[in-house]
Amino acid sequence: MNALMIKGLLFAAVLIGATIAVVKSMNIDLSDPINLITMIGAVAIAVLTVGVSIKYINQMKTDKAEGELADENWDGIGEYKNELPAGWAYSFLGTLIWAVWYWFVGYPLNAFSQIGQYNEEVLAYNEKFEEVHKNATPEILKEMGESIFLVQCAPCHGETGDGLSGKAQDFTAGRESKEQVLDIIKNGSDQLKYPMGAMPGGMAQGADAEAIAEYVAGGMKGEQPASFGVCAGCHGADGKGNGGTAPNIVEYDQTLVEHVLENGRKGAIGIMPSFKGRLTPVQQKALATYLGSLK
Amino acid sequence: MQSNAALEYDYSVAKLFTYTAILFGILGMTIGTLIASQMAFPELNYLFGEYGTFSRLRPVHTTVVVYGFTLSGVWATFYYLGQRVLKVSMAESKFLMFIGKLHFWLYFVGALVATISLLMGITQAKEYAQYEWPIDIVIVIIWVLWGISIFGIIGIRREKSLYISLWYYIACFLGVAMLYLFNNMAVPTYFVSGMGSILHSVSMYSGTNDALVQWWWGHNAVAFVFTVPIVAMIYYFLPKESGQAIYSYKLSLLSFWGLMFVYLWAGSHHLLYSTVPDWMQTMGSIFSVVLILPSWGSAINMLLTMKGEWNQLTENPLIKFMVLASTFYMLSTLEGPIQAIKSVNAIAHFTDWIPGHVHDGVLGWVVFMVMAGLFHMAPRMFKREIYSKKLLEAQFWLQTTAVVLYFTSMWIAGITQGMMWRAVDEYGNLMYSFIDTVAVLHPYYAIRALSGVLYLVGFLMFAYNMIKTMSSSRELTEEPQFRSPMA
Amino acid sequence: MFHWLEKNPFFFAVGVFIVIAFAGLIEILPNFAEASRPVVGLKPRTVLELAGKNIYMKDQCIACHSQLIRPFKSETDRYGQVSLSGEYAYDRPFLWGSKRTGPDLHRVGNYRTTDWHENHMWDPTSVVPQSIMPAYKHMFTNIADIETAYAEAVTVKKVFNTPYDQPNGTKLGTWEEAQKAALEEAKKITADMKNKDVKDAVANGQIPEIVAMIAYLNALK
Ligand code: HEM
Ligand code: HEM
Ligand SMILES: [Ca+2]
Ligand SMILES: [Ca+2]
Ligand SMILES: [Cu+2]
């Protein structure tokens, strides 16, 4: 091997090494077959290109041009009648044979279905998932919830769950804000599909409404205003939703999160989209656990 | 038969296209550098109001470099070497001179209008076919004019058999003609409804069909604009500049017909895992792998043509450009097929690895070849030696560094991003939000922007060297036979 | 034979043409009828949504966004159900894109909302701090070209039999009807928006681009 070849392969090695280092630094599993095949492909590109082109460039140093010239000559350019380079010819033949094999034997054209492959992938995953999370602890649920939250919810609620200064629900400041509660008292609500059905608007006015809102937004601490009685009928004296018949208005519990994810919600802040069918029950539970931990 | 020296070739059309190659090269690469910088530093989106966003500029970049720079290069070289390998001067036919000039002026005006139309957002939104229907019609006329030029000059040729370069120019002409027509078929809405914008049209095909036709074209735009006519160039300029005979006729032959046959099948590698039928995807994938050899055939033929000529490689920067171009051509025609393997494409598709692949092809192969060709032509067209060898050498190293930075950064960025998109945590949930996979790319986008600046500076050195060569370099009394003289 | 071809340019050109046209005949044409069949229940886009699509094309969102969810679990988890051929049957042109600098948008209507888009298109970093997407403030002042969108709908209805004005389908109607319908649709969207200028414009019968854009994004499901 000469210096040029060594330099070339060194370059290829550095490139591959850097790629693997960066990929690894993102916690990526290189034993995943797709990732693995891609890395092998990348190695092949670098090594083959460098190797083969340097092989020919080396011939510029060592070989001499020779052969029988053709009769024609175009603007001073001649042409030898040399045979095909053997490596090239056999590789060409090889790829052709491989192609025919692929079509008729390996992966016959009519026998592969990408949707079939997808279904298998999902099935295998779901089995594994059930297996692993049969009895997940709250800590695990919280961690899992956080990871789902960062991917699915953070674009609106922010990475910390603070609602991006009023663009969505702020989970770090307890349940509903005073404005939200006032809005609901005024307009009522009929979106979440609780057993209790709709909440009518206008059940409290003026100073009463203010007092209730203050109290609810404050997490229902301290002295309960007398006017809260009207709310307690549905939400319970403790505000926890009467065993799931109306929303919990003091904290994010699992029932609430499930209802919100199923139906979405439009309120004083804006619109929360429905995630119907996009998250599994375990994932919803995990989200509820995580949201509960944010305040 | 007349001897070469007795013939006065007419380079007026070749010169005109040389000027536009330089002009559109600068424009296209300046915009390329700008959009590369915008991906690293998004504030740069607001330099020119709504016309300065990344999204408006990206198609301007791609079309200016493809239809402005590359086609100018293709035509400059064709109008130069077509005459020479056929041993007939354009000046011998008033008709051909007229067609050639018309070809140029229609093209130049058309290209300017087309570029402005994209900036204004008038577009069909199909990649490499963005121009709206009135411009498409002008493009068809321009193309037909080129066809008349090709077959016109072949009609009056003195050299009976067509040189390899001409095979490739003819293929370029035919391939683009067929595919461009098919892909741009559209119905202008004004003529059916009698209202709305007269420029707007709807594609003749919908959904999956549209995708198939688009990438049948899109892939072969690569084949017939970035590959076929560039191979035409290297088959002429490398042996001519070095004085060496082509290594093997058989290899030229098999590579040519192999390339023609195989390339067209491969388009569906842009649609892997899409909604086109599985069997078509498989065809695209397999033919892409087969395509390695016809592609490498030409490159190897060129490298072997230089057998024993190491001293030329070290002494003549133009040879350096061309040998490196061959090597980059090998790189991208191995990288492409490997990206076309389904499992690899599952990661590579939609990521920066694709622009990485694109630019080791276009920067390392297309631009290098066009520049080398124009440098070779300059002393012969303008009868002056190349202005500065030192500048040429510096340019070579600067741009080589730039290409390496470009493709290594995008290679790492693309593979990382592709793998992050599919990464799951221990619970099987997606590990990264989309924005995580964007944020991690910042350093690579910054490196790519830097490489753009370096490459652009290199191109400006080329432009300067060319302009000096045209205007003030030492005059030559005699046309150089092989090696281009340079100061 | 090849040597002979090289001396006979006409036959050479014919030969090249046959060799390159061959693949298209076999690979492209046979699937045409099959792939244009719509999925059950697919409705053509309303005029306002078409106007939004045209803005999506004009501002080339396709430069960064795909609209194709591939059959991998990682993609369906992120973006929703796998894309089906029949869902694109009325898309002219197809807008799958070839680069995901930003996320896929094929089903973005399922998980983003009007008010979010309003914030995001005005200033992406206000909702996604590290975003590199440009802000599209000009869409809040430019007026959408509803007339051309209507012309497009009429054209595809006439030329390609796109099923407008069918029972339970998308109504197109006359130009006057279509204008009124587009404005109604726009009003529903601005009800969820905050930007005062946009609300005023729609109240005065003009539809800024952003409203059409959001109509289109919400319809991507
Ligand atoms: C053997 C030859 C080649 C094969 C099989 C090949 C294959 C591919 C593949 C698989 C993609 C990616 C498609 C995707 O997943 O989005 C691609 C993209 C691309 N390649 Fe190649 N490639 C080849 C040679 C070249 C060369 C020589 C050039 C340029 C000089 C080139 C320019 C491009 C361009 C511009 C794109 C981007 C298309 C887009 O806009 O998405 N390719 N190629
Ligand atoms: C200074 C040199 C250049 C720079 C910095 C540059 C930069 C860029 C950037 C940033 C993109 C967008 C990539 C993305 O969306 O992720 C791009 C796309 C593209 N450029 Fe360049 N470019 C340069 C020169 C060229 C030249 C000379 C050509 C052709 C002759 C070219 C052809 C293309 C093509 C075909 C695409 C589209 C690729 C795709 O869709 O996958 N570029 N370029
Ligand atoms: Ca067009
Ligand atoms: Ca692309
Ligand atoms: Cu391709």
Side-chain angles (χ1 to χ4, degrees), chain B residues 46 50 55-56 127 157 162 167 193 196-197 200 204 206-210 249 264 280 346 350 352 432, chain C residues 6-7 20 32 58-60 70 78 85 89 91-94 98-100 135-136 138 147-148 151-152:
Chain B
Y46 312 115
E50 82 177 82
S55 50
R56 283 278 176 94
E127 276 184 278
R157 71 193 186 280
L162 302 183
W167 311 350
S193 65
S197 162
H200 188 65
M204 199 85 120
S206 73
T208 303
N209 286 333
D210 201 33
Y249 169 72
L264 272 289
M280 281 187 206
F350 289 140
D352 289 293
Y432 295 106
Chain C
E6 285 152 26
K7 292 193 165 77
I20 61 179
F32 249 67
K58 172 180 163 196
D59 265 308
Q60 287 282 321
R70 296 181 293 169
R78 202 183 286 282
S85 182
D91 284 6
R92 294 169 194 271
F94 81 117
S98 66
K99 178 78 208 296
R100 264 186 204 155
Y136 287 95
H138 61 263
E147 188 178 336
T148 299
E152 176 172 333

Side-chain angles (χ1 to χ4, degrees), chain B residues 32 36 39 58 61-62 65 127-128 359 362-363 367 406 452, chain C residues 99:
Chain B
M39 290 178 82
R58 189 187 195 273
H61 165 62
T62 56
V65 289
E127 276 184 278
Y128 317 113
H359 289 83
V362 293
L363 301 179
V367 181
Y406 196 123
Chain C
K99 178 78 208 296

Side-chain angles (χ1 to χ4, degrees), chain B residues 28-37 39 54 58 61-62 65-66 69-70 127-128 215 226 351-352 354-355 358-359 362-363 366-367 406 410 445 448-449 451-453 455-456, chain C residues 63-64 98-99 101:
Chain B
M29 286 181 234
T30 305
I31 298 177
T33 306
L34 176 58
I35 61 174
S37 311
M39 290 178 82
F54 175 86
R58 189 187 195 273
H61 165 62
T62 56
V65 289
V66 178
F69 169 74
T70 309
E127 276 184 278
Y128 317 113
W215 285 111
F226 282 157
T351 69
D352 289 293
I354 306 300
V358 172
H359 289 83
V362 293
L363 301 179
V366 177
V367 181
Y406 196 123
M410 288 303 101
Y445 285 161
R448 193 251 306 264
S451 89
V453 173
Y455 201 88
L456 180 64
Chain C
C64 291
S98 66
K99 178 78 208 296
T101 302

Side-chain angles (χ1 to χ4, degrees), chain A residues 26 32 75 83 88 283, chain B residues 84 236 250 422 429 432:
Chain A
M26 303 316 298
D32 169 333
D75 195 20
E83 276 307 316
W88 181 84
Q283 287 179 316
Chain B
R84 300 183 63 115
Y236 176 85
K250 261 196 198 161
R422 30 180 298 118
N429 297 313
Y432 295 106

Side-chain angles (χ1 to χ4, degrees), chain C residues 11-221:
Chain C
F11 292 102
F12 180 88
V14 172
V16 169
F17 189 77
I18 292 173
V19 169
I20 61 179
F22 187 68
L25 288 178
I26 296 190
E27 219 182 30
I28 311 292
L29 296 182
N31 188 51
F32 249 67
E34 171 80 35
S36 43
R37 207 173 299 146
V39 288
V40 179
L42 184 71
K43 289 182 192 166
R45 299 198 188 289
T46 66
V47 170
L48 189 65
E49 289 162 14
L50 277 183
K53 181 216 69 173
N54 288 342
I55 298 160
Y56 190 89
M57 287 165 67
K58 172 180 163 196
D59 265 308
Q60 287 282 321
C61 311
I62 196 176
C64 291
H65 291 284
S66 60
Q67 287 188 23
L68 177 79
I69 302 165
R70 296 181 293 169
F72 308 131
K73 186 165 186 302
S74 54
E75 299 214 346
T76 52
D77 277 3
R78 202 183 286 282
Y79 305 117
Q81 199 210 328
V82 159
S83 301
L84 304 174
S85 182
E87 296 179 271
Y88 301 106
Y90 305 136
D91 284 6
R92 294 169 194 271
F94 81 117
L95 291 168
W96 296 358
S98 66
K99 178 78 208 296
R100 264 186 204 155
T101 302
D104 190 274
L105 298 180
H106 192 208
R107 303 195 193 287
V108 72
N110 285 336
Y111 49 88
R112 297 286 180 266
T113 51
T114 299
D115 55 333
W116 190 86
H117 288 309
E118 181 185 11
N119 290 325
H120 185 252
M121 298 301 288
W122 179 261
D123 176 10
T125 53
S126 73
V127 274
V128 185
Q130 291 162 298
S131 181
I132 61 169
M133 171 163 150
Y136 287 95
K137 296 197 165 115
H138 61 263
M139 286 185 189
F140 290 71
T141 45
N142 288 358
I143 299 302
D145 186 353
I146 303 293
E147 188 178 336
T148 299
Y150 179 74
E152 176 172 333
V154 169
T155 304
V156 293
K157 182 183 174 194
K158 275 196 195 154
V159 181
F160 303 112
N161 289 322
T162 305
Y164 280 104
D165 294 322
Q166 304 281 322
N168 298 327
T170 309
K171 185 160 164 28
L172 186 55
T174 64
W175 170 222
E176 280 69 32
E177 289 169 333
Q179 268 174 298
K180 215 180 277 159
L183 199 60
E184 280 312 306
E185 217 183 314
K187 281 186 180 144
K188 281 206 199 100
I189 291 171
T190 43
D192 291 333
M193 291 177 68
K194 298 203 167 65
N195 188 299
K196 185 119 187 356
D197 297 338
V198 171
K199 281 165 143 6
D200 288 350
V202 172
N204 293 329
Q206 283 194 312
I207 305 180
E209 286 187 336
I210 185 69
V211 179
M213 186 79 256
I214 291 178
Y216 176 65
L217 291 172
N218 284 343
L220 290 172
K221 288 192 166 173

